[in-house]
Amino acid sequence: MGIGATAGVAAVGGIALSANASDSKTSSSSSDALVFDPDAYTKLTKTITDTAGTEHTVVYHFWKAITYVAKPVDATYQSLIVSAPVEIDGKAVDASNAPILFANSVGGYMPASVATATEVGGGGSAMGGGAAPSGAPSASASTSASASAPGANGNTNATGGATSSNQLLALAAGYVVIEPGARGRTLKNSSGEYYGTAPAAIVDLKAAVRYVKSNKGRIPGNVERIVSAGTSAGGALSSLLGASGDSPIYDKYLKEIGAADASDAIFATGAWCPITDLEHADGAYEWNWGANDLSTGKLVDQTVSKALQAQFAEYQAGLKLRGLGGFGPLNARNLDEYMVEQYLEPSATTYLAALSDSARETYLKANTFITWSGGKARFTWADFLTHVGARKKDTPAFDAFDLSAGENNEFGAGTTLARHFTAYGAKNDSTGLSSKRVASDIPAKLDLMNPMFHLVEKVNPNRSRHWWIRLGTKDSDTSLTVAANLAARLDNLGDDVNHIYYWDEGHGANTDPADFITWIAQVTGHKAKRGK
């Protein structure tokens, strides 16, 4: 254990954090340490501008960083903040039964902390959202974020900051906002051991949910109506949180950190550009972007690209998915047609229809591959790929032969910075440091980190049943098929899936946040209670 030898209390930047924000005394029992103090808040006021440009004055109660486990490894990251509205535009608000937006700020599978947050939206990832860059030291005296960690050069998914507006809009809508921190892949203790690699982040988020649920009646909001949100790696974790509710494969990890004895299942899931299904992500990426040049104008190694595409075709067939909208069975041969019909043409149509006549005409003149007829956009997959242009990542995109990808670091262990997590990556290792075989613990860790495991191999009855999934059409941080496969599997299982792509948007886009807030009210059945 690196930090926090005393149950429920740990040093964060020189400040003692305890489970009870108003009580610095050390608790002698885990159950006492995990009791939320409803009176330990600060009353704050914030002006929030909604998407229509209207300003709202929100008075809310704010609970500073609370450690959510009894035996924290590092409370700098294993803590959460709570914001609950009590007055909006001069009218009293009762948020006791309001939905809870559970918004993580993880990006790049990096650590995210709320330890020094002083208001709603105060969390940050080490790759974005206002926290330290990946090379900066952590707030904890005995830990550091490694400057040499893979992915620091941008060869990984970007920040988790795109959902930050969700927190503010949710608060202005009368919802409770809970923002958890989580350990991440670059954290290293004084012995040189990495303690935030897989599965630390998802274990922490589950522990945070358990803390919230164990404090039903004390913590504000309806703990049975928790809606998760996250972007990029945070979107992957949000998806995983929704898919894996109460799965027993995490129990030993949760017990190790002293998680509360409660459920970690959540009601609904919001995921923006989720970087997930990592063991199949290299093949999916090449199927999608294999023909596109890098930004240097160089075409990637086509032998590698074709080999990975073949792996993806086999995987896709094995999923036995049926497309949304009655499309029928999906495979690598018709997936391009499906993506165009189900997502890309509707996305372009929505975008173009919203433009003025003159702006639409200008856009179509600059993008002649689109046929605009009858108020609908039409084009081919090949022309779409040309329109997107350069791909962001070389090949393999995730399990890099030279172990340089952030995801290699995510599967590091002990004092080993980065490891291969696919047989193909290990076989073609170029570092000379690998045994050419995947380590024996990797398969189990992949299951712990992949929502598809809980939806395909072990269908989880305690998963979320409501899903909001978003991705930009120009996002080449991952394959566009990753979110589409996730949505198709959920739809095939009978879940409620709201999934669209944002036209011409890149990684981390969130262009319809007001719709997300409305969707939360719809799926949770929430009706705001406001006084005079």
Side-chain angles (χ1 to χ4, degrees), residues 43-51 53-60 85 87-90 118-121 164-165 167-173:
K43 194 172 185 179
L44 302 175
T45 301
K46 191 171 186 66
T47 299
I48 297 173
T49 303
D50 65 23
T51 56
T54 303
E55 289 189 347
H56 301 279
T57 301
V58 181
V59 179
Y60 67 103
E87 185 180 296
I88 299 175
D89 296 333
T118 56
E119 63 174 354
V120 64
S164 60
S165 64
Q167 286 95 297
L168 301 181
L169 293 175
L171 193 69

Side-chain angles (χ1 to χ4, degrees), residues 101-117:
L101 179 64
F102 187 83
N104 79 72
S105 59
V106 174
Y109 288 100
M110 301 285 276
S113 176
V114 297
T116 60

Side-chain angles (χ1 to χ4, degrees), residues 182-224:
R183 288 169 293 166
R185 61 183 173 85
T186 55
L187 295 175
K188 186 169 60 173
N189 65 21
S190 57
S191 298
E193 299 166 324
Y194 290 89
Y195 63 89
T197 55
I202 185 59
V203 171
D204 285 353
L205 294 184
K206 282 177 167 290
V209 171
R210 289 188 174 202
Y211 173 85
V212 172
K213 286 199 166 185
S214 71
N215 280 286
K216 180 179 180 179
R218 289 186 289 264
I219 205 162
N222 184 346
V223 301
E224 302 304 325

Side-chain angles (χ1 to χ4, degrees), residues 1-2 34 52 69 122 190 228 276 347 420 471 484:
M1 180 178 295
L34 298 180
V69 288
S190 57
S228 177
T276 190
S347 175
H420 291 294
L471 187 68

